[in-house]
Amino acid sequence: MDTVTDIALHDCFVIHVLDNRLPAAQCSQALTPLPEAFRRSLQRYLLSLLKPQFRRKRYGRFRPDSAVLHAYQEILSSVRRYGQVDPSDFLHASQRIATRLFAAMSSRPQNGARVQAGNITPGDLWVGLFQALAPQGEPEPWLFLLKVDPESALQRQIEPYGADGMQTVLTPREDLVPKLSAEKIHKFALLRFADNPAIYDVLMADPQGGKSDVAKFFAEDFLQTEPFRTAEEQAELLFTRTYDWVSTNEDTLSPQERGAVLHSVRTMLADSATRAEPVAPLDLIVSLPLTESRQPEAVAQLRQSFETTLTAPEDGVDSIPVHRALHIQTVPRLAKRTQVTYQLDFGVQLSGEQEAIERLFVTPPHRVVDHTEFTIRTLTFRPVV
């Protein structure tokens, strides 16, 4: 679902104020008008989150009892009933979502201690909808949730509404172009409930503080999701685990086999993406290029250890069944390795990946009086023409 290349924002948009130092969320009683210049900035930002290049995102599937899921389903029911989003249904659902997030931000830790101000940063919750237009149009809208700081180029104001209600309003400041700065985003979630166990429901990230995972209060307590791994993430796991298996068995595999195994796995993943055909861990295991002469028992043991490493049956959400068909669109990138060069006497240089060179050392480099000594062990020693 993250192959969407064009979107259009709905007019339904609202900002709720969540200051968990206060006793309750400040929910807007009316939609928040979206300045046209800022609409374009927001649309560009949301589209960037869907691109494969945005690699820090995580995926999840709703638990059946998720309050956010039920609120989103209310919005979708409105679309199916009226052919479009009913603003009052959207506003009511967004208020339920904001109240849920406020409760997650304000809940007591399991040890019963009182939440201290500053443990979870207060912020605004932006709630809105967008329609996927390309590569193909989708009939039902996505829901986006952004927990943000107030923008420096925008002034979020609270105005009275009705007898005792409030409405949030965005006002661009003079001489400043409205924009959505990435550093202002605490958390985000993009929702599209597909009712398909093979597809994720929620795409989310936690940019605040550069976290690689999403904070528990947001992903579990608020959204009530379970982790989900996409085909691309599982393909990357397969390649990473292959590298780990080769490293673990470097004394058993020949240098040619070590290179051939990595090449074989990456080629099969790349061919799968090119041909738009699925690939399963079993395909990689069957094609394992063991070319050295070995006893059949030794070959079987290597294949079994390779299967165990690839599938990781004890790793829960990161376990990959041996027959699972992965439809890969993006081939895993090669891990970046640090290349180093050591200058020795007489113009000799020792070059390669830092980790690989360190594995060659039997005795690491150390100073002895006025010179450096070290001992290396290598199975390969031949001239390079």
Side-chain angles (χ1 to χ4, degrees):
M1 290 193 299
D2 54 345
T3 56
V4 176
T5 56
D6 192 21
I7 64 173
L9 289 182
H10 279 246
D11 290 332
C12 287
F13 174 77
V14 67
I15 297 176
H16 302 297
V17 181
L18 307 182
D19 187 344
N20 50 335
R21 297 166 297 188
L22 301 177
Q26 295 175 280
C27 291
S28 180
Q29 304 303 311
L31 298 182
T32 304
L34 197 57
E36 186 57 37
F38 184 68
R39 172 188 290 267
R40 293 192 294 271
S41 175
L42 177 58
Q43 183 165 308
R44 285 194 301 270
Y45 179 75
L46 292 171
L47 189 57
S48 72
L49 303 180
L50 292 164
K51 293 181 178 179
Q53 291 83 350
F54 191 95
R55 299 184 61 84
R56 284 173 49 199
K57 52 199 171 193
R58 293 292 180 265
Y59 302 87
R61 283 196 56 78
F62 283 120
R63 298 203 298 263
D65 59 343
S66 169
V68 175
L69 167 61
H70 295 161
Y72 181 36
Q73 287 176 325
E74 283 186 10
I75 297 173
L76 297 181
S77 296
S78 173
V79 174
R80 295 164 189 150
R81 193 164 54 244
Y82 303 115
Q84 61 183 3
V85 181
D86 181 78
S88 61
D89 289 342
F90 168 81
L91 182 62
H92 174 69
S94 76
Q95 291 168 343
R96 288 179 56 194
I97 291 171
T99 302
R100 175 76 192 185
L101 178 54
F102 183 85
M105 293 168 59
S106 308
S107 62
R108 294 175 179 271
Q110 291 185 353
N111 61 11
R114 186 168 182 262
V115 173
Q116 300 296 320
N119 284 1
I120 296 177
T121 310
D124 291 350
L125 177 64
W126 295 14
V127 186
L129 299 166
F130 67 83
Q131 204 80 28
L133 302 180
Q136 61 184 15
E138 296 179 1
E140 295 181 335
W142 293 56
L143 178 70
F144 67 86
L145 307 173
L146 279 71
K147 179 177 178 286
V148 305
D149 269 341
E151 286 294 299
S152 58
L154 292 159
Q155 183 178 0
R156 189 263 296 142
Q157 297 176 326
I158 297 178
E159 297 182 350
Y161 185 84
D164 54 0
M166 54 83 79
Q167 178 185 16
T168 51
V169 177
L170 287 176
T171 305
R173 295 181 178 178
E174 293 183 5
D175 302 324
L176 288 175
V177 178
K179 64 177 182 178
L180 188 63
S181 305
E183 63 269 16
K184 298 292 185 178
I185 307 296
H186 293 175
K187 314 280 185 289
F188 76 74
L190 307 183
L191 285 58
R192 183 178 182 273
F193 182 62
D195 196 21
N196 183 346
I199 302 175
Y200 63 84
D201 296 328
V202 184
L203 181 160
M204 54 191 144
D206 192 344
Q208 190 178 24
K211 301 178 179 67
S212 57
D213 290 316
V214 180
K216 177 182 178 297
F217 88 88
F218 192 80
E220 298 181 29
D221 301 339
F222 165 52
L223 292 171
Q224 295 174 281
T225 58
E226 301 288 350
F228 179 85
R229 297 289 180 259
T230 65
E232 278 70 25
E233 287 182 311
Q234 292 181 78
E236 195 156 347
L237 277 175
L238 289 175
F239 190 69
T240 301
R241 289 170 179 174
T242 300
Y243 187 89
D244 292 341
W245 183 81
V246 168
S247 299
T248 301
N249 293 277
E250 63 178 345
D251 292 335
T252 305
L253 302 172
S254 70
Q256 292 79 9
E257 285 178 319
R258 295 198 292 267
V261 170
L262 294 173
H263 178 74
S264 172
V265 170
R266 182 166 177 81
T267 299
M268 291 192 71
L269 295 177
D271 288 348
S272 170
T274 301
R275 298 194 308 267
E277 296 177 354
V279 63
L282 181 61
D283 300 324
L284 308 181
I285 297 163
V286 171
S287 302
L288 185 66
L290 300 176
T291 56
E292 298 295 323
S293 177
R294 295 183 176 87
Q295 293 295 323
E297 295 81 3
V299 174
Q301 187 175 11
L302 281 172
R303 290 192 186 278
Q304 182 59 51
S305 70
F306 187 53
E307 176 179 337
T308 301
T309 300
L310 286 187
T311 58
E314 305 299 326
D315 279 6
V317 68
D318 288 332
S319 175
I320 307 175
V322 70
H323 293 287
R324 174 172 291 171
L326 302 178
H327 296 266
I328 302 169
Q329 296 177 344
T330 305
V331 183
R333 297 183 302 177
L334 288 171
K336 294 182 179 179
R337 306 289 174 180
T338 303
Q339 297 283 333
V340 296
T341 299
Y342 294 100
Q343 183 68 53
L344 310 182
D345 293 342
F346 311 116
V348 176
Q349 291 184 336
L350 182 62
S351 300
E353 296 173 359
Q354 178 73 51
E355 182 182 350
I357 291 177
E358 290 177 353
R359 289 205 303 267
L360 291 176
F361 290 133
V362 176
T363 305
H366 58 283
R367 293 294 294 177
V368 179
V369 190
D370 60 348
H371 65 279
T372 300
E373 291 185 359
F374 60 87
T375 305
I376 65 172
R377 180 189 64 184
T378 177
L379 299 175
T380 305
F381 186 76
R382 60 176 180 267
V384 178
V385 180

